[in-house]
Amino acid sequence: MASSLSPPEVPIELHVENREKLLKSLTQHLSTSSRPLQGFVFLQGGEEQTRHCTDHVELFRQESYFAYLFGVREPGFYGALDIASGESILFAPRLPDEYAVWLGEIKPLSYFKERYMISAVHYTDEITKVLHQQYQGSGKPLLYLLHGLNTDSNNYSKPADFEGIDKFKMDLNTLHPILTECRVTKSELELTLIQFANDISSEAHVEVMRNAKVGMKEYQLESLFLHHTYMYGGCRHCSYTCICATGDNSAVLHYGHAAAPNDKTLQEGDMALLDMGAEYHFYGSDITCSFPVNGTFNRDQSLIYNAVLRAHNAVISSMRPGVGWVNMHKLAEKTILESLNEGGILFGDIDAMIHERLGAIFMPHGLGHLLGIDTHDPGGYLQGAERSKEPGLKALRTTRELLEGMVITVEPGCYFIDALLVPAMENPKTSKYFNIQEINKFRGFGGVRIESDYVTSSGCVNMTKCPREIQEIEAVMAGAPWPIPKTTIPSANGEI
């Protein structure tokens, strides 16, 4: 199917705004702490990587903080912001003559100055000289370097390094929390790119739904998605490795990795759980659709799917600035437990189940995460915030209150994972809640996840445009157009 979309022009003003936002926040911080408004924000961009010991160069993708501030797509760059003047400076690698033979034209510095709307561009071997000439203070110039913990990955940002850095004073503590917080809320220009990534990804998910058939391979579903987002959206990168799980694989939360490479054959009666999102000019999307591979929900599939959909809808109807994300996660858990109780899979008091953290048996991951230049955008935990040690809650990627302009995923799920179910059914504190006869029917079922991307405004705005109701999914898989005119969605008894 052709697309109704086309890749939008990328507004480089977006990165100018990002730099201005950082300088405003940083100078305010320095003024409040009675520190001089001098020195340089100094970042190192990403380097190309070869595949192990070979000369095969992996497809380059810019380091995210550098991409946020400068929008540079090429490797080997450095960037500086002069705090005193507000000027931006890029440092480009000085390329050898043979570059022009193998990799194309060697661009002049003026090209990068114009393309990235930068005050000045120099070569990387001139960093020390240029910054010393630019600096208006006394003594060694001060560099604010990026170094800090990514609370999502538990990895540290790598501070810039270059020959001659010993001729500067360095601050490794100030920049990271301020720049990270700048990334937490999105500008209108950023939202435009995230929306396009959502639009093309939503369209691709619908295309996959329409073409999914028993007997196909999971990787064929992945390839349909990748083709559509690249062919019609110009999205050369995905936000993350695609999860194309069917049958019992859909209970493997991060399926799709090298040891589980989306290669199972789709079987009659399988549910598909497809977690895939395209990236456009660094900004990403993160969408999950779940549906029966044969196009028709049976009773058990409907029960679990509707449990997750109810949780999804309960959360989005409660989201607004100021709402705590922990409470949203607990709301999703409670809603799923209520549905499983009504469906006869569980029995007992819901509040007692919640006290025993039974929700984490069925939804062991967090409800969602910040989204932007990274799939799991940083800033989920403020400095000093501690993670819960309770099941389910310890997996939360943020515990913050929602802010105006945050983009966050809502992705409740319900899974039947033996590694969690069996101990819970054997534990005397929790075994009494399980209807063993019913729950055994779902061993091997896999799981269901529904994931949409939302921007917080006066309430929240859904950026994702996929079929969600069972009737919508069945209609689309049967060939109906999407979006479906409301008057043409068949009811459960087949009437229009």
Side-chain angles (χ1 to χ4, degrees), residues 78-95:
Y78 290 79
L81 301 180
D82 185 345
I83 296 170
S85 68
E87 292 181 356
S88 54
I89 308 168
L90 276 179
F91 296 93
R94 197 185 293 271
L95 301 172

Side-chain angles (χ1 to χ4, degrees), residues 264-286:
K264 178 180 178 291
T265 302
L266 280 60
Q267 303 290 331
E268 181 67 35
D270 280 352
M271 281 290 288
L273 186 160
L274 306 185
D275 188 338
M276 306 179 288
E279 173 183 299
Y280 185 73
H281 186 69
F282 310 122
Y283 286 87
S285 57
D286 190 356

Side-chain angles (χ1 to χ4, degrees), residues 227-391:
H227 171 74
H228 193 92
T229 55
Y230 198 0
M231 178 77 174
Y232 300 109
C235 300
R236 198 174 191 187
H237 292 275
C238 266
S239 299
Y240 51 93
T241 302
C242 291
I243 298 171
C244 291
T246 60
D248 57 353
N249 289 336
S250 56
V252 181
L253 300 181
H254 285 170
Y255 184 74
H257 55 85
N262 294 336
D263 62 354
K264 178 180 178 291
T265 302
L266 280 60
Q267 303 290 331
E268 181 67 35
D270 280 352
M271 281 290 288
L273 186 160
L274 306 185
D275 188 338
M276 306 179 288
E279 173 183 299
Y280 185 73
H281 186 69
F282 310 122
Y283 286 87
S285 57
D286 190 356
I287 300 172
T288 307
C289 295
S290 297
F291 56 87
V293 298
N294 66 5
T296 304
F297 284 82
N298 61 34
R299 177 198 170 276
D300 290 345
Q301 292 168 340
S302 296
L303 171 61
I304 304 307
Y305 185 88
N306 279 329
V308 177
L309 183 61
R310 281 178 61 187
H312 175 274
N313 293 344
V315 168
I316 62 177
S317 65
S318 302
M319 286 171 60
R320 61 186 59 85
V323 169
W325 197 241
V326 176
N327 291 334
M328 294 297 93
H329 179 91
K330 290 179 176 179
L331 173 61
E333 282 187 334
K334 181 179 181 181
T335 306
I336 290 170
L337 290 175
E338 288 172 343
S339 294
L340 296 181
N341 198 42
E342 292 166 8
I345 294 173
L346 301 175
F347 40 63
D349 181 67
I350 298 296
D351 290 336
M353 294 181 197
I354 292 171
H355 178 74
E356 295 294 343
R357 301 296 307 133
L358 204 68
I361 304 301
F362 297 96
M363 190 176 82
H365 59 72
L367 174 64
H369 51 81
L370 302 181
L371 175 71
I373 282 185
D374 290 315
T375 308
H376 299 153
D377 236 19
Y381 284 81
L382 294 169
Q383 284 188 311
E386 293 187 7
R387 284 184 180 269
S388 172
K389 294 180 172 56
E390 293 187 68

Side-chain angles (χ1 to χ4, degrees), residues 396-452:
L396 279 166
R397 297 184 185 273
T398 184
T399 55
R400 296 182 62 163
E401 290 185 355
L402 297 179
L403 299 174
E404 183 93 16
M406 266 185 180
V407 177
I408 195 163
T409 67
V410 177
E411 49 180 306
C414 181
Y415 315 87
F416 295 85
I417 304 170
D418 277 348
L420 297 174
L421 275 175
V422 172
M425 290 190 292
E426 294 175 349
N427 184 337
K429 288 186 176 181
T430 52
S431 60
K432 57 188 175 183
Y433 300 115
F434 293 94
N435 183 338
I436 302 301
Q437 182 177 352
E438 278 299 308
I439 207 163
N440 280 338
K441 296 178 183 178
F442 289 87
R443 304 282 287 276
F445 174 91
V448 167
R449 180 162 65 252
I450 300 172
E451 180 178 16
S452 307

Side-chain angles (χ1 to χ4, degrees), residues 175-207:
L175 178 60
H176 187 271
I178 295 173
L179 180 51
T180 296
E181 192 63 18
C182 285
R183 287 178 57 181
V184 168
T185 56
K186 276 48 177 193
S187 68
E188 289 301 320
L189 292 177
E190 289 180 290
L191 291 174
T192 297
L193 297 183
I194 298 171
Q195 185 61 69
F196 176 73
N198 264 270
D199 289 345
I200 194 67
S201 298
S202 297
E203 196 176 76
H205 270 283
V206 171
E207 182 72 359

